[in-house]
């Protein structure tokens, strides 16, 4: 993803909070989940009042739920009285089958890709209309990528997102292109016709290029990762400074890494019954 320092301080408009209108009757589980949904990458630390407001709960109800979650370990309270997501939730999330298997298989290839480029390397999957980052290795370049595992961005604005969108179903692609396309810089693609042409080029070339779509100083090149049945399961990318970026030089090593991860996941590229490389 072409995200520089500014990207760490904003969330895409498609970000889901899980909150519901205050007038809607909510069950006890819904209220509990709304407390957890109050936290995101823009709001990692919240006071009780913040939680009450963002979860749209009364202060009394928020206090009761926060207390229960803190005692269980889902939340932690710091010395200033603010709450953070607790380690108990990280322990539960770590074994998530989809992310765990991909990360374990992909890590050696991501490390090789980093050694070949010394740039920021990322691995992501699609979740609906968003890309979710499940691994990253920080490079030495001047591009200040501040991605965390679990961060979400719209598909059209990122290299990995373009790679994933280009290999999704035709119906989903058309629905996505016809919907609102959030803009982050003057270079963000918001024209549906242009986006469709870009997706066709991704399928033709085997790589996606996101040029200054999120921040004006970065460019990302991404390639799809295929699962055992040949369908695209993830995408891997390299993020470099836009000035002096050599896409033709990055493409072979990136495709090699994506191909290696795909093979390790069980993809057989020589089997005509399976997806093409």
């Amino acid at each position: 993803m072409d995200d520089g320092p500014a990207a760490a301080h904003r969330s895409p408009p498609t970000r889901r909070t899980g909150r519901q209108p205050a007038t809607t009757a909510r069950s006890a589980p819904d209220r509990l989940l709304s407390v957890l949904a109050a936290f995101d990458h823009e709001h990692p630390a919240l006071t009780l009042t913040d939680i009450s407001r963002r979860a749209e709960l009364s202060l009394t109800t928020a206090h009761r739920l926060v207390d229960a979650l803190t005692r269980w370990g889902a939340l932690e309270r710091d010395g200033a009285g603010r709450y953070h997501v607790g380690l108990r939730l990280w322990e539960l999330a770590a074994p998530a089958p989809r992310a765990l298997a991909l990360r374990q298989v992909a890590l050696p290839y991501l490390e090789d890709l980093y050694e070949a480029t010394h740039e920021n390397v990322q691995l992501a999957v699609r979740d609906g209309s968003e890309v979710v980052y499940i691994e990253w290795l920080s490079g030495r370049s001047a591009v200040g990528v501040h991605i965390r595992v679990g961060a979400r961005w719209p598909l059209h604005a990122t290299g990995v997102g373009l790679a994933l969108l280009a290999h999704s179903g035709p119906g989903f692609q058309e629905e996505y292109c016809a919907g609102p396309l959030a803009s982050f810089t003057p270079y963000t693609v918001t024209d549906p016709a242009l986006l469709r042409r870009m997706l066709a080029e991704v399928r033709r070339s085997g790589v996606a290029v996101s040029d200054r779509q999120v921040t004006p100083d970065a460019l990302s090149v991404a390639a799809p990762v295929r699962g055992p049945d040949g369908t695209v399961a993830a995408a891997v990318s390299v993020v470099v400074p836009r000035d002096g970026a050599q896409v033709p030089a990055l493409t072979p090593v990136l495709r090699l890494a994506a191909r290696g991860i795909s093979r390790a996941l069980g993809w057989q590229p020589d089997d005509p019954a399976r997806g093409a490389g």
Side-chain angles (χ1 to χ4, degrees):
M1 174 172 118
D2 53 303
D3 43 320
H9 304 293
R10 59 176 182 263
S11 296
T14 55
R15 175 81 175 151
R16 298 187 298 272
T17 63
R19 298 192 297 276
Q20 303 179 25
T23 56
T24 303
R26 288 184 284 176
S27 65
D30 284 340
R31 291 194 295 271
L32 193 68
L33 291 173
S34 72
V35 171
L36 296 176
F39 295 86
D40 58 26
H41 292 294
E42 291 291 308
H43 304 88
L46 298 171
T47 65
L48 183 60
T49 301
D50 293 333
I51 295 171
S52 172
R53 175 179 52 81
R54 287 177 57 76
E56 298 184 354
L57 297 169
S58 70
L59 197 58
T60 300
T61 300
H63 183 272
R64 175 171 54 82
L65 295 175
V66 166
D67 182 63
L69 289 168
T70 302
R71 283 187 279 108
W72 187 73
L75 298 178
E76 296 176 356
R77 190 168 185 263
D78 63 24
R82 295 172 301 181
Y83 293 88
H84 307 254
V85 172
L87 289 177
R88 189 73 176 269
L89 286 184
W90 288 106
E91 292 170 359
L92 287 177
R98 186 181 178 194
L100 179 64
L102 274 171
R103 292 173 71 184
Q104 287 179 333
V105 168
L107 191 56
Y109 301 93
L110 300 179
E111 291 173 341
D112 287 346
L113 183 56
Y114 171 79
E115 288 302 325
T117 63
H118 294 293
E119 300 290 357
N120 298 288
V121 173
Q122 302 170 337
L123 180 70
V125 297
R126 180 171 76 87
D127 184 21
S129 61
E130 297 173 317
V131 61
V132 181
Y133 290 83
I134 62 173
E135 187 58 272
W136 92 97
L137 301 178
S138 180
R140 302 173 187 172
S141 74
V143 178
V145 177
H146 297 281
I147 288 299
R148 302 178 185 179
V149 170
R152 294 172 176 264
W153 284 82
L155 292 168
H156 68 282
T158 68
V160 285
L162 288 170
L164 291 165
L165 181 58
H167 292 90
S168 60
F172 175 80
Q173 289 185 47
E174 187 56 36
E175 180 182 358
Y176 189 96
C177 291
L181 301 174
S183 178
F184 304 99
T185 74
Y187 307 99
T188 306
V189 176
T190 57
D191 175 35
L194 175 57
L195 179 56
R196 292 186 186 98
R197 292 196 295 270
M198 290 176 65
L199 298 178
E201 177 60 19
V202 172
R203 292 188 292 272
R204 186 199 67 79
S205 66
V207 295
V209 178
S210 180
D211 185 2
R212 299 172 291 174
Q213 289 213 76
V214 174
T215 53
D217 63 344
L219 177 145
S220 66
V221 186
V225 172
R226 298 183 181 273
D229 63 354
T231 60
V232 172
V236 61
S237 70
V238 176
V239 184
V240 301
R242 202 269 178 176
D243 290 342
Q246 299 293 325
V247 173
L250 292 171
T251 297
V253 291
L254 185 64
R255 295 186 67 177
L256 184 64
R259 194 177 183 88
I261 299 170
S262 300
R263 284 179 176 272
L265 288 172
W267 177 56
Q268 300 293 328
D270 297 327
D271 185 344
R274 298 179 185 270

